[in-house]
Amino acid sequence: MNPRIVFLDVDGTLINYHTIMPQSAGRAVTQAMKNGHRVYLCTGDSRYELGHRKLMETDGLILGNGAYVEDHGNVILHQTISAQDERAIVDWCSERQLGYVLECNSGMYCNSWMKKKGPDAMYRYGTGKGKDPEAARQSASGYVGIMQEVHGNDQYRDDVNKISFVLDHYQDHLDSKAMFPDLVAGTWGGKDEMALFGDLSPKGISKKHGIQVLLDYLKASREDTIAFGDAKIDIPMFEACAYSVAMGNAGEECKAAADYVTDDVDNDGLAKAFRHLGLID
């Protein structure tokens, strides 16, 4: 087998919804790399947020859903939201009393509304993913707890990869699309009107774009690529790769778009797929 280039989503794929990585997943990734395959994390997380996960080493990172690309410590791409757009978004969220978080590689910076509204939104996200109430509360507290609250001019930055904000109503997302047409407006935490968060990121940025940038840098062929994911946002990653795997806990749209569906993340799904594909014995 030719060496493969593997792209792994993180939440729901490499780690479960309790942010715990199954031991079998870590062993599978490490063994695949020893076998000569390359492995890259491909996630919406920032470098700072990823630093709070207990993960194994990989060959590189695609972060912010494609806004940041790194290979063995070399930064290939870092596309941030412009300072002008960032200021406009911060002011827009503040006027609507929406909790926001500025996702930067140096940290996660939020307003007071995120400290107030974020835990409840994350609690609903956790219980929606099957967590028991106490685990969901702990996870929500931990998520907001790593954020640094900022005020005044400290809210305005030029190193922001992505901005997420709590949706008081689905209309907040629709209004963000109309207000910031030069940015990509998305949602997460639920489908359509059930979404809990909105987010804004630079136009042209996606996991697919990040993968293409990395492959160009590596002078590598798409034929040797495999993508793993569990959500609708991972479908562009599937499109960028020659072969795609959906986790057993993935959404139906993600499963339908994949070439292969493995077991759940908590039932050794990643390791099972690695064996199925011959990446490990």
Side-chain angles (χ1 to χ4, degrees):
M1 174 191 285
N2 290 334
R4 297 290 189 256
I5 305 175
V6 180
F7 297 97
L8 297 178
D9 171 55
V10 175
D11 296 272
T13 301
L14 179 62
I15 64 176
N16 64 20
Y17 299 119
H18 298 267
T19 69
I20 296 170
M21 181 178 67
Q23 290 185 357
S24 63
R27 287 195 299 265
V29 170
T30 299
Q31 187 59 54
M33 292 172 64
K34 287 181 179 178
N35 290 346
H37 305 291
R38 297 186 186 219
V39 180
Y40 295 84
L41 302 185
C42 191
T43 173
D45 293 345
S46 67
R47 173 177 275 286
Y48 179 80
E49 189 174 1
L50 208 62
H52 285 76
R53 320 290 202 194
K54 294 181 179 179
L55 306 178
M56 70 286 124
E57 291 293 322
T58 59
D59 289 289
L61 308 166
I62 297 176
L63 307 177
N65 290 328
Y68 178 89
V69 181
E70 179 183 300
D71 174 63
H72 292 99
N74 298 314
V75 179
I76 303 165
L77 171 71
H78 190 189
Q79 179 65 54
T80 58
I81 296 174
S82 72
Q84 181 179 356
D85 283 337
E86 191 271 355
R87 176 180 285 269
I89 296 166
V90 164
D91 290 346
W92 180 80
C93 287
S94 298
E95 288 167 5
R96 299 172 77 108
Q97 298 184 347
L98 298 177
Y100 70 73
V101 55
L102 311 175
E103 300 180 21
C104 309
N105 287 343
S106 61
M108 296 177 70
Y109 307 99
C110 71
N111 61 359
S112 59
W113 290 108
M114 175 58 81
K115 290 289 187 179
K116 293 174 183 176
K117 299 179 178 182
D120 179 64
M122 285 304 299
Y123 172 78
R124 286 185 285 151
Y125 174 69
T127 53
K129 291 293 186 181
K131 288 185 179 181
D132 65 76
E134 183 56 34
R137 271 190 288 272
Q138 291 178 5
S139 178
S141 177
Y143 175 73
V144 178
I146 66 173
M147 299 177 188
Q148 177 183 335
E149 187 175 333
V150 289
H151 306 274
N153 287 333
D154 289 339
Q155 298 176 98
Y156 305 124
R157 307 180 62 90
D158 61 2
D159 62 343
V160 178
N161 301 330
K162 184 177 69 173
I163 300 177
S164 291
F165 52 93
V166 177
L167 296 174
D168 286 346
H169 309 282
Y170 190 69
Q171 188 62 42
D172 294 325
H173 162 62
L174 299 178
D175 289 348
S176 75
K177 291 179 68 174
M179 186 70 181
F180 305 104
D182 294 330
L183 298 173
V184 176
T187 62
W188 57 281
K191 185 178 180 181
D192 298 330
E193 285 79 4
M194 299 303 292
L196 298 170
F197 292 86
D199 59 39
L200 291 161
S201 56
K203 188 159 282 188
I205 293 301
S206 67
K207 291 187 175 185
K208 180 178 182 178
H209 176 72
I211 289 172
Q212 291 171 336
V213 167
L214 179 62
L215 292 180
D216 288 344
Y217 172 80
L218 296 174
K219 295 180 173 57
S221 170
R222 177 182 180 274
E223 296 177 0
D224 297 324
T225 57
I226 306 171
F228 286 75
D230 76 309
K232 184 177 179 180
I233 198 170
D234 298 320
I235 294 176
M237 180 167 62
F238 290 178
E239 295 169 351
C241 294
Y243 195 84
S244 54
V245 179
M247 304 302 292
N249 48 276
E252 292 307 313
E253 285 183 86
C254 181
K255 288 180 179 177
D259 295 305
Y260 178 73
V261 179
T262 187
D263 212 331
D264 288 9
V265 59
D266 277 323
N267 202 29
D268 301 327
L270 195 72
K272 289 176 180 177
F274 271 41
R275 290 192 192 93
H276 172 78
L277 296 170
L279 301 173
I280 61 175
D281 297 327

